């Protein structure tokens, strides 16, 4: 697994990296998040215009942790600026770079620019692997974006959050995945707010949207504030009866 950092300086990033280095296979620096909370804190896409900070963060991690280091960026206003940044990242010692196929102001409703990703990769600007990201929602998209862009690899974000089985040819029904995830989260005593956030994200399909708003079990998920209610949404009571003790007494 790869641990991704949202960071704005090398010192705090290294402190965080040292905490997780033994538990992860690689480390990635997020330089592409366009959300306000990220940019306002000097993280994510804010780093695209701070090459000195990028260089410092990458070099610091490469020098001090044993894990491979990569960076995820977005397309900059023009191709040459994007290439210059990729070269800087390579020269700083990164082992790979991921390019998200949108400009910073663009959002998911706007198609990713696979054509621009191809244009960048065709120039062979660096010797490290270039991974691409953007609008990969099903298994077939993986081979398609690699073929159309010439990329070395593919990163999946929203597609995997909506249905993690996107990585295999046969799609698993999303409700089955949600139920398994809920069971695992409860068993590991995962933070309830985090668990609910992930499950709600998986519901970003029309069918599950109706399930959440109309089905009694879907409503339990929507309204759940604790695991006691959550287990009822996925028929997990028999596996996790301790969570129902208070309800049973009432």
């Amino acid at each position: 697994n790869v641990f991704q950092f949202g960071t704005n300086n090398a010192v705090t990033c290294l402190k965080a990296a040292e905490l997780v280095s033994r538990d992860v296979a690689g480390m990635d620096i997020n330089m592409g998040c366009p959300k306000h909370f990220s940019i306002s804190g000097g993280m994510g896409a804010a780093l695209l215009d701070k090459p000195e900070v990028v260089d410092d963060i990458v070099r610091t991690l490469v020098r001090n942790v044993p894990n491979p280091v990569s960076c995820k960026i977005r397309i900059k206003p023009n191709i040459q600026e994007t290439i210059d940044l990729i070269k800087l990242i390579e020269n700083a010692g990164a082992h790979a770079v991921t390019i998200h196929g949108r400009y910073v102001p663009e959002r998911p409703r706007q198609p990713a620019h696979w054509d621009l990703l191809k244009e960048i990769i065709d120039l062979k600007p660096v010797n490290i692997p270039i991974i691409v990201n953007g609008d990969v929602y099903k298994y077939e998209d993986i081979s398609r974006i690699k073929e159309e862009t010439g990329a070395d690899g593919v990163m999946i974000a929203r597609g995997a959050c909506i249905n993690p089985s996107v990585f295999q040819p046969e799609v698993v029904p999303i409700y089955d995945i949600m139920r398994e995830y809920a069971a695992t989260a409860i068993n590991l005593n995962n933070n309830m707010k985090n668990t609910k956030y992930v499950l709600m994200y998986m519901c970003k399909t029309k069918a599950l949207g109706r399930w959440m708003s109309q089905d009694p079990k879907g409503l339990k998920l929507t309204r759940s504030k604790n695991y006691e209610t959550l287990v009822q949404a996925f028929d997990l009571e028999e596996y996790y009866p301790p969570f129902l003790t208070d309800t049973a007494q009432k």
Side-chain angles (χ1 to χ4, degrees):
N1 57 334
V2 177
F3 192 97
Q4 187 179 73
F5 298 95
T7 184
N8 61 10
N9 71 85
V11 176
T12 55
C13 188
L14 177 58
K15 289 180 180 178
E18 290 173 337
L19 289 174
V20 301
S21 64
R22 294 184 180 181
D23 301 311
V24 299
M27 299 184 178
D28 187 74
I29 303 164
N30 187 329
M31 302 180 184
C33 181
K35 297 292 183 67
H36 174 73
F37 78 88
S38 188
I39 292 180
S40 63
M43 303 177 291
L47 292 173
L48 296 176
D49 297 318
K50 298 179 179 179
E52 298 86 358
V53 178
V54 171
D55 184 81
D56 189 26
I57 294 173
V58 175
R59 288 183 185 277
T60 299
L61 290 188
V62 171
R63 281 198 309 265
N64 294 283
V65 296
N67 317 72
V69 176
S70 60
C71 301
K72 182 186 179 185
I73 69 171
R74 281 192 170 225
I75 298 173
K76 297 200 68 177
N78 63 65
I79 297 297
Q80 189 56 53
E81 287 184 34
T82 307
I83 289 174
D84 289 344
L85 179 60
I86 295 172
K87 288 182 176 180
L88 181 147
I89 289 170
E90 179 186 41
N91 291 334
H95 298 79
V97 61
T98 298
I99 310 175
H100 178 74
R102 289 183 177 86
Y103 298 108
V104 174
E106 293 182 318
R107 293 299 179 265
R109 64 181 177 274
Q110 297 160 303
H113 303 287
W114 288 13
D115 57 329
L116 295 181
L117 294 174
K118 172 177 170 52
E119 188 175 341
I120 293 168
I121 293 169
D122 280 350
L123 294 172
K124 303 185 184 301
V126 291
N127 293 315
I128 58 176
I130 296 180
I131 302 164
V132 291
N133 170 245
D135 291 350
V136 179
Y137 293 106
K138 52 185 184 291
Y139 181 78
E140 294 76 15
D141 291 339
I142 298 173
S143 57
R144 189 164 65 88
I145 192 172
K146 286 187 70 175
E147 183 178 342
E148 291 190 19
T149 65
D152 297 295
V154 180
M155 178 185 287
I156 308 176
R158 285 175 295 120
C161 290
I162 294 171
N163 192 328
S165 68
V166 67
F167 295 99
Q168 62 188 44
E170 295 183 6
V171 178
V172 178
I174 188 59
Y175 182 84
D176 294 346
I177 291 178
M178 292 172 69
R179 189 174 188 273
E180 182 180 352
Y181 174 80
T184 302
I186 294 168
N187 193 39
L188 295 175
N189 197 26
N190 188 49
N191 180 277
M192 170 60 190
K193 290 183 179 179
N194 174 263
T195 299
K196 183 176 179 179
Y197 174 84
V198 173
L199 290 169
M200 295 291 284
Y201 202 102
M202 290 183 189
C203 290
K204 290 192 174 185
T205 63
K206 290 182 180 179
L208 281 173
R210 289 191 295 271
W211 175 75
M212 286 173 54
S213 61
Q214 299 174 15
D215 188 277
K217 294 187 182 297
L219 288 170
K220 287 186 185 301
L221 170 60
T222 305
R223 298 169 181 172
S224 63
K225 295 183 179 180
N226 51 53
Y227 278 127
E228 182 179 336
T229 308
L230 188 68
V231 296
Q232 298 172 31
F234 296 99
D235 296 322
L236 294 169
E237 294 95 332
E238 62 182 290
Y239 302 105
Y240 304 99
F243 291 98
L244 300 180
T245 302
D246 293 340
T247 301
Q249 290 175 348
K250 295 176 183 178

